[in-house]
Amino acid sequence: MRAPSVTASDAPAESGSPWRSWRLVAALGLWAGGWCALMMGSGRLDLANQALILLACGALAAVWLPMGLSIALGVVGTLLFNWVFVPPQGTFRVDGVQNLGLLLGMLLIHSEVALLLGAQRREAARTRRHAREAEALRRWSERLREGGEPLSLLPELAEQLRLASGAAVALRAWPGAPRDRLAEVAEGGWISTGTPADDEARAALNHVLVAGQPMGPGTGYHEGLGFWVLPLRGTRQAWGAAALQGDAVQANAQALRLHLQALCDLWGAARQRAQAAADEQAARLREQAQGLRNALLAAVSHDHRTPLATILAAASSLEAQGERMAPAQRQRLARTIIEETEQLRRLTDNTLQLARLGVPGLQLKLDWESPEEVVGAALHRLRRRLPEARVSGRAEPDLPLLHCDALLLAQLLDNLLDNALRHSPPEAPIEVLARRQDGQIVLAVRDRGPGVPAAWRDKVFEAFQRGPAEGAPQGQRAGAGLGLAVCRAIARAHGGEMRVRPRAHGGSAFECWLPVQPQPAGPESMATNETGGPA
């Protein structure tokens, strides 16, 4: 929402020519009315009362008249009063000290009233100007706080400066944190709004970009310039500069310059806060990337070593003693190599996937997929790998399509099934299902294993966290702590979330909750596959 700017309509009413004309007419009418009253009361009022009438009219008229005109009318009125009413009448000569004192008193009072009212008007105008400037600063501060990236508000800053000063404005600002300001100025490494009027203004603008010091009248630095160049200052450095060329600069209005500098400094402070936030975010991303690299190196050096050692031992035994081994023994070693290679493949896939999903700005290869097909494909892969596994699948009818990366969802279900098989007894059933709940699609793998303790229900989805192994089948190797972390990363990459909840009669349900997107045209293209019954 754009904050309102202070415009010329916010100026005091006395600057408007219609109102000034009415004030002049009213003031002259008061003078005329006073003279009419004097003429009508001539011969019936003494000289002192006549002077009081003229003084009262002059004081009332001075409220609406400029100070100089009010004093001039007071002098003219006093002279006319002397000509018409003070003896000897018809001359400017004054008889008697008393009459001379009366005329001098009238002049003094007229002048004093005009001076006092003029000073009051100046103070009132100054107060109104300060109020307008304070309101402009408040609005500009709110605009900077609500407007996001300060660089996008440079045109608005130029407009604020133009409205406040009536001057032509040219702005230049650094798009990032400058390292070598002289080199970047030489290369034109800035963004700009407006164009400096001449080479002198252009050179001064570049100088302030580097030095961060204001230039021009009243700044104490190159005061002979006919324009101002003000830095856009933060707390530690200038983030840009503004050149202002106009009559207000020539008038050397120092209060105006301080107001313009305050507008510039508000932008500079906002720009510095935005840069600090960007630097903090970059440092946090670097720290996360370094932590991920360290974790991945730890996984490669530790969790990959065990299957590699097992493969190497089995292969060495086959090479050295294969001819002397019984066929069953050779088959057992070959099976060990296959199983450990498959384990190593899963570790490698999860490690690489976790690294890829941790990259900011990741773009997924999304397509429309049927939840029934996703579940059916997961069951087919598992049965081909482990035909003896007691796994069944189920999907509710008429589920909406998922807008997803099918390969990633396949890896998610494979990891959940591998986790369920690892932590469940061989005879315990495992179920894969797809259903709709609370406006979302839920892909779940449910087992009858030992369950997940309440204290571990959040930790199990963190990388390299291995939950307690009580109840796991004997001889089953602990996982690397990557599978569930990859599942959560995949779910979040799709705008969803992973949850684990205990089942009523033992075991756990690991659920991937995915949002339902607006469906594509052509619902007749939604094909479903048979997911099959219990294996």
Side-chain angles (χ1 to χ4, degrees):
M1 178 179 179
R2 182 165 180 162
S5 301
V6 178
T7 63
S9 62
D10 296 317
E14 56 265 27
S15 62
S17 56
W19 173 238
R20 180 178 298 174
S21 300
W22 279 108
R23 289 188 309 165
L24 182 61
V25 170
L28 293 178
L30 277 172
W31 275 101
W35 277 100
C36 287
L38 287 178
M39 300 302 297
M40 292 173 61
S42 178
R44 288 178 288 179
L45 297 174
D46 60 20
L47 201 59
N49 288 326
Q50 290 176 319
L52 284 176
I53 293 174
L54 194 63
L55 284 174
C57 293
L60 291 174
V63 174
W64 294 326
L65 292 175
M67 182 178 63
L69 180 58
S70 180
I71 293 176
L73 286 175
V75 172
V76 172
T78 302
L79 291 176
L80 286 176
F81 183 82
N82 180 25
W83 180 275
V84 176
F85 296 107
V86 177
Q89 297 175 346
T91 68
F92 291 112
R93 189 164 53 85
V94 180
D95 287 344
V97 176
Q98 184 177 2
N99 291 338
L100 179 61
L102 177 64
L103 293 174
L104 291 178
M106 291 177 63
L107 280 175
L108 181 62
I109 293 173
H110 273 301
S111 301
E112 185 68 20
V113 169
L115 289 172
L116 288 175
L117 289 175
Q120 186 180 23
R121 279 196 296 270
R122 285 195 302 272
E123 187 61 31
R126 187 180 300 111
T127 301
R128 287 191 294 270
R129 175 172 58 81
H130 288 165
R132 290 194 302 274
E133 290 175 353
E135 178 64 13
L137 290 173
R138 184 190 66 79
R139 293 179 180 178
W140 182 229
S141 177
E142 289 182 355
R143 179 72 178 116
L144 288 170
R145 187 172 62 251
E146 299 170 359
E149 173 53 54
L151 288 173
S152 65
L153 300 179
L154 271 179
E156 291 189 37
L157 173 59
E159 182 68 6
Q160 291 279 355
L161 296 174
R162 186 191 67 78
L163 290 173
S165 65
V169 179
L171 290 176
R172 287 180 179 174
W174 300 113
R179 302 293 178 244
D180 187 344
R181 290 174 177 262
L182 287 173
E184 293 194 36
V185 164
E187 296 171 1
W190 59 71
I191 59 175
S192 61
T193 296
T195 304
D198 49 39
D199 290 340
E200 184 181 30
R202 190 175 298 109
L205 197 58
N206 291 342
H207 179 79
V208 174
L209 268 176
V210 176
Q213 182 177 0
M215 299 173 60
T219 64
Y221 189 59
H222 290 282
E223 296 201 22
L225 292 175
F227 52 87
W228 283 324
V229 183
L230 306 177
L232 312 181
R233 299 178 298 199
T235 55
R236 294 187 298 273
Q237 62 181 350
W239 293 93
L244 299 98
Q245 297 174 285
D247 294 338
V249 180
Q250 299 294 338
N252 194 17
Q254 294 306 306
L256 174 62
R257 180 180 64 81
L258 294 176
H259 173 62
L260 299 176
Q261 184 65 70
L263 290 172
C264 293
D265 290 347
L266 281 174
W267 185 92
R271 177 70 184 87
Q272 181 161 314
R273 288 195 300 271
Q275 186 64 41
D279 292 343
E280 180 182 1
Q281 177 68 11
R284 187 161 51 247
L285 291 176
R286 287 194 299 269
E287 182 180 358
Q288 291 175 354
Q290 184 61 43
L292 182 59
R293 281 194 295 269
N294 294 339
L296 293 178
L297 287 174
V300 170
S301 64
H302 180 270
D303 295 306
H304 288 56
R305 186 175 299 170
T306 300
L308 283 174
T310 304
I311 292 171
L312 180 60
S316 299
S317 298
L318 283 175
E319 180 186 29
Q321 304 177 23
E323 295 179 356
R324 298 191 295 273
M325 289 182 180
Q329 192 175 7
R330 287 197 301 270
Q331 186 177 9
R332 187 167 58 253
L333 289 175
R335 184 64 181 172
T336 298
I337 292 174
I338 293 173
E339 290 176 352
E340 294 299 327
T341 302
E342 179 66 21
Q343 171 72 5
L344 186 60
R345 183 193 65 79
R346 287 196 297 271
L347 281 172
T348 302
D349 287 346
N350 283 330
T351 301
L352 295 176
Q353 202 63 268
L354 190 62
R356 187 172 79 92
L357 292 172
V359 175
L362 173 69
Q363 296 293 325
L364 302 182
K365 296 180 180 179
L366 301 177
D367 203 352
W368 293 101
E369 302 289 344
S370 166
E372 295 90 335
E373 291 182 357
V374 172
V375 171
L379 287 174
H380 179 70
R381 287 190 302 272
L382 181 65
R383 287 168 180 161
R384 188 173 55 188
R385 180 164 57 94
L386 298 171
E388 70 283 1
R390 294 177 57 82
V391 181
S392 63
R394 179 167 57 88
E396 290 182 355
D398 301 325
L399 288 175
L401 296 177
L402 284 170
H403 198 220
C404 62
D405 187 319
L407 292 178
L408 288 180
L409 283 192
Q411 186 172 1
L412 181 145
L413 288 178
D414 289 348
N415 285 349
L416 292 180
L417 286 168
D418 183 66
N419 182 73
L421 290 169
R422 180 181 293 112
H423 293 92
S424 298
E427 68 280 1
I430 295 172
E431 184 181 22
V432 187
L433 62 89
R435 71 177 189 274
R436 186 167 185 169
Q437 182 176 341
D438 297 335
Q440 299 187 68
I441 297 295
V442 180
L443 302 177
V445 173
R446 308 196 300 187
D447 61 54
R448 290 297 180 184
V452 179
W456 276 87
R457 287 173 192 162
D458 291 329
K459 295 181 181 178
V460 292
F461 293 110
E462 297 177 6
F464 311 108
Q465 293 291 330
R466 297 179 176 91
E470 291 84 353
Q474 291 293 327
Q476 182 68 264
R477 179 191 306 161
L482 283 175
L484 294 180
V486 172
C487 290
R488 182 169 69 175
I490 292 173
R492 289 181 174 177
H494 286 83
E497 189 56 86
M498 285 296 304
R499 303 178 188 175
V500 58
R501 61 177 180 83
R503 301 184 68 187
H505 301 290
S508 300
F510 286 84
E511 300 174 341
C512 174
W513 291 66
L514 298 173
V516 176
Q517 304 291 346
Q519 298 296 291
E524 67 276 5
S525 64
M526 297 169 57
T528 60
N529 284 351
E530 186 70 30
T531 61

